[in-house]
Structure formats: structure tokens, C-alpha cells
Amino acid sequence: MTTAKAYAVSSAKAPLAPFQIERRAVGPHDVQIEIAYCGICHSDLHQVRDEWGGSKYPMVPGHEIVGKITAVGAHVKAFKVGDLAGVGCMVDSCRTCPSCQRKLEQFCEKGVAWSYNSTEMDRVTPTYGGYSSSIVVDEAFTLKVSPKLDLAAAAPLLCAGITTYSPLRHWNTKKGDKVGVVGLGGLGHMAVKIAAAMGAEVTMLSTSKSKEADARKLGAHHFGLTSDDATFKRLAGQFDLIIDTISAPHDYNKYLGLLRIEGAMVLLGVPPEPTPVAAHALIGGRKILTGSLIGGVQETQEMLDFCAEHGIVSEIELIPVQQVNEAYERMLKNDVRYRFVLDMKTL
């Protein structure tokens, strides 16, 4: 085993602070990654503060991890020392259930080993995330990161990128499709970039007129101000697909009215309370209301390759790890455009 420097939290009310963790020795199928950068996901804040319940302490957050491989196990075939690599939200799964066999490890029927606030598949060994100097991961859950991508700005692709790519890919987004993106934040800005790169005609749907200029810079072709009821009349029946990234309470029924017949609305955000849905909002056009959660390892690699081909990375603010608590407070105020990334070299 090796010792790694980290930032951890000891309780739901404690700040993140320097900490030391033990990483396992590099096994035959493992790679060791020296972490260069780690993105801050809003779910980090939720779990650190036990807002979803079930948090385990001490906790080292972080599941948008990129860096360089410094060691490989004897049987590793896909990676070598010096390669750029990434780790996303998962570090293992059962690999045998129907979901895993379909390359949908995120839906592992025996339970995924998440990158932090979880355990390895032995259900005993705690997992610690990317707010640390290094990590040891099975090569089957390690991703190749192209040197074409700015490494720091590529870190959020491991969560925000795949979370938005997966539903766009699943619903076969293609040239000429009309896609609406609800909310311009960490997820929304990636959805705009990726959908536009797929050839879709993209409309940003936001409550804030001030987001229009940014949305267009990111690739949106149109903008709809959702605080104006006239927008819902003007855009009624327009969209093949809506990607809803909002975690604040909002009326799904109004957005369902923007779908064409047999269109789909995919939920990525998680509002704090259940949202009522009227049957007629779906029945009238055989519309689909569904949700999506990251993607499997194969699809995540596909996303990284797509982003490398199209020059897509996240819009980030790179900060030293010592500013992580300040970043959390700024996230609560939506004071970031559009993703914080920790420079782990400052650890």
C-alpha cells in the first residue's frame, strides 16, 4: 500500500481539510494514476453535507479525475506508464449481471462501486475519490484521455460530459434534430456543446436573459426565456428532445408541451421534492418523460473520443485545492461558469 495526500471531510458540518489515505498496492490488472486535476461536481457538495443521506466519513470526494499513469500491473494491456488517463464516477461493478453484460455498469444490479462514499465490491473497503494525489484503479474502469484535450478542462467530461452525452446518444441525436436544453450550468453548458457538435439545432431554455450571450457562444442556435409564458406558446410542439438539467422545482408539464409528437424529455437534475406530472401532458402526443444517469465505461470512452474529435471541453475555473471550501459556497450561489476544477498539483 502507498500513502496519498488528500482533502477530506470528517462530518457533515466540517470543512474539507488536508488528510492522508492509503491506496492499495498496484495489482495485476490495476493502474496507478498521479492525479493532475479533479473537477468539482455539485453532487460532491450534496454528499459532503449528507444532503442525500448515507454519507460515510471520513470522505474524500471527487469523480472527475484526470492525470498520468505512473505504474501498471503485470497483466494490464490497454495502458502504459506515461499515458493520460481518467476515472469517472465508478471504479468497479459486478461485471456479470445483465446490466454489466450490456455495458451499462452504472446500473449494475448488484450495486456499483462508486469512486467515493462507497466501498469496493468486497462491500468493506472504503473508496476515496479524486481530491487526492493518486488513485489505483482496475484498468477495466480506467479511461483514455486524448492529448488533444486541455487536461484540466477535460476533467469535468468524466461526469458532466457523460451525463449529457449519454441521453443525446441514446435518443440518436443527429443533424437536423431540434434539441432543447433546460438550464445553463455545469450540465447544461456541456449539453449545448455536445448536441451542437452532433448536428442538432439547439435551443437554450433559461429563466435568465443574461445567459443568452453565453449560450450562443457555446453553440446554441436559439434562446427561449422560460420566465415569459409567451415562450411556451411560441415553442409549443417544437422539440424532438429536451435535456432537463435543473435541480430546482419547476413544472415538467409546461416543458412537455414543447415536445413534438413522440418526443422525449430526459431528466438529469434532481429537484428536492417530487414533481407532479399530468397524464394528459404525455397522452396527447405519446410523449416520453424519462431520466438518465452517467453512462457505462464503453460509452464514456466513446464520449471522450467524440470530444477529442470535436475539440469539446468544459468551461472551467481552475483553482488551488486550498480554495475548495470557498468554491462550495460559490457553487451554492451559482457563482461559477461553469465548472470548478481543482489543481491537484497544489495539494
Side-chain angles (χ1 to χ4, degrees):
M1 299 180 73
T2 57
T3 300
K5 293 187 290 184
Y7 254 58
V9 63
S10 59
S11 73
K13 296 187 181 300
L16 286 143
F19 192 67
Q20 284 197 339
I21 56 175
E22 296 292 326
R23 295 295 193 189
R24 69 173 182 263
V26 177
H29 299 283
D30 289 336
V31 301
Q32 183 177 51
I33 301 171
E34 180 183 81
I35 300 173
Y37 305 103
C38 185
I40 298 178
C41 178
H42 210 282
S43 61
D44 296 349
L45 187 151
H46 289 305
Q47 298 208 69
V48 159
R49 299 185 178 182
D50 199 22
E51 293 173 352
W52 291 344
S55 292
K56 303 174 180 69
Y57 303 99
M59 183 194 303
V60 177
H63 57 208
E64 298 178 342
I65 303 163
V66 293
K68 185 175 291 186
I69 292 178
T70 55
V72 297
H75 299 310
V76 170
K77 297 179 180 178
F79 298 90
K80 64 182 185 302
V81 172
D83 283 351
L84 297 178
V87 180
C89 300
M90 306 175 287
V91 291
D92 209 348
S93 70
C94 80
R95 312 192 197 190
T96 59
C97 73
S99 292
C100 288
Q101 290 295 301
R102 291 178 59 200
K103 308 297 184 184
L104 298 173
E105 296 92 348
Q106 73 272 31
F107 303 128
C108 176
E109 293 164 33
K110 296 182 181 178
V112 174
W114 300 109
S115 298
Y116 73 90
N117 195 36
S118 181
T119 64
E120 300 283 358
M121 294 306 290
D122 63 9
R123 305 307 184 196
V124 175
T125 307
T127 56
Y128 296 120
Y131 295 11
S132 57
S133 56
S134 66
I135 190 169
V136 177
V137 186
D138 191 295
E139 72 165 328
F141 283 78
T142 306
L143 290 309
K144 294 178 179 289
V145 178
S146 171
K148 294 179 182 178
L149 296 173
D150 176 279
L151 192 59
L157 299 180
L158 276 301
C159 179
I162 185 57
T163 296
T164 49
Y165 179 89
S166 186
L168 288 165
R169 184 75 172 81
H170 181 78
W171 294 100
N172 299 312
T173 301
K174 60 189 180 300
K175 185 175 181 180
D177 284 356
K178 293 186 176 182
V179 174
V181 177
V182 185
L184 188 60
L187 292 177
H189 93 285
M190 291 306 310
V192 169
K193 286 190 173 193
I194 293 170
M198 289 177 170
E201 184 179 331
V202 182
T203 299
M204 168 51 55
L205 301 166
S206 174
T207 59
S208 176
K209 180 69 174 175
S210 65
K211 296 287 185 77
E212 180 172 4
D214 264 10
R216 292 186 182 277
K217 287 178 185 177
L218 293 164
H221 304 90
H222 311 288
F223 183 87
L225 185 63
T226 56
S227 55
D228 182 354
D229 284 340
T231 296
F232 291 92
K233 295 178 181 178
R234 177 172 61 86
L235 297 178
Q238 293 293 305
F239 297 110
D240 299 286
L241 181 68
I242 293 174
I243 302 294
D244 184 346
T245 72
I246 300 297
S247 289
H250 57 295
D251 186 355
Y252 293 164
N253 301 285
K254 292 175 71 173
Y255 290 92
L256 287 167
L258 304 182
L259 291 174
R260 63 163 176 78
I261 292 173
E262 296 185 328
M265 176 168 157
V266 184
L267 305 180
L268 303 182
V270 185
E273 300 294 336
T275 304
V277 177
H280 67 75
L282 300 170
I283 291 171
R286 195 154 66 186
K287 297 172 183 179
I288 299 165
L289 178 64
T290 186
S292 186
L293 174 72
I294 58 171
V297 176
Q298 180 174 290
E299 188 174 54
T300 305
Q301 187 62 62
E302 179 185 299
M303 176 275 304
L304 286 169
D305 295 342
F306 177 90
C307 288
E309 179 184 351
H310 293 275
I312 296 172
V313 289
S314 184
E315 301 297 310
I316 69 165
E317 182 176 336
L318 184 63
I319 61 172
V321 69
Q322 293 80 10
Q323 292 179 15
V324 64
N325 293 299
E326 178 187 335
Y328 275 30
E329 295 305 316
R330 288 180 55 194
M331 274 201 307
L332 288 172
K333 300 173 184 175
N334 293 318
D335 181 23
V336 57
R337 292 195 175 180
Y338 283 96
R339 208 71 162 185
F340 284 116
V341 173
L342 297 173
D343 183 348
M344 300 314 300
K345 298 187 295 297
T346 64
L347 185 62

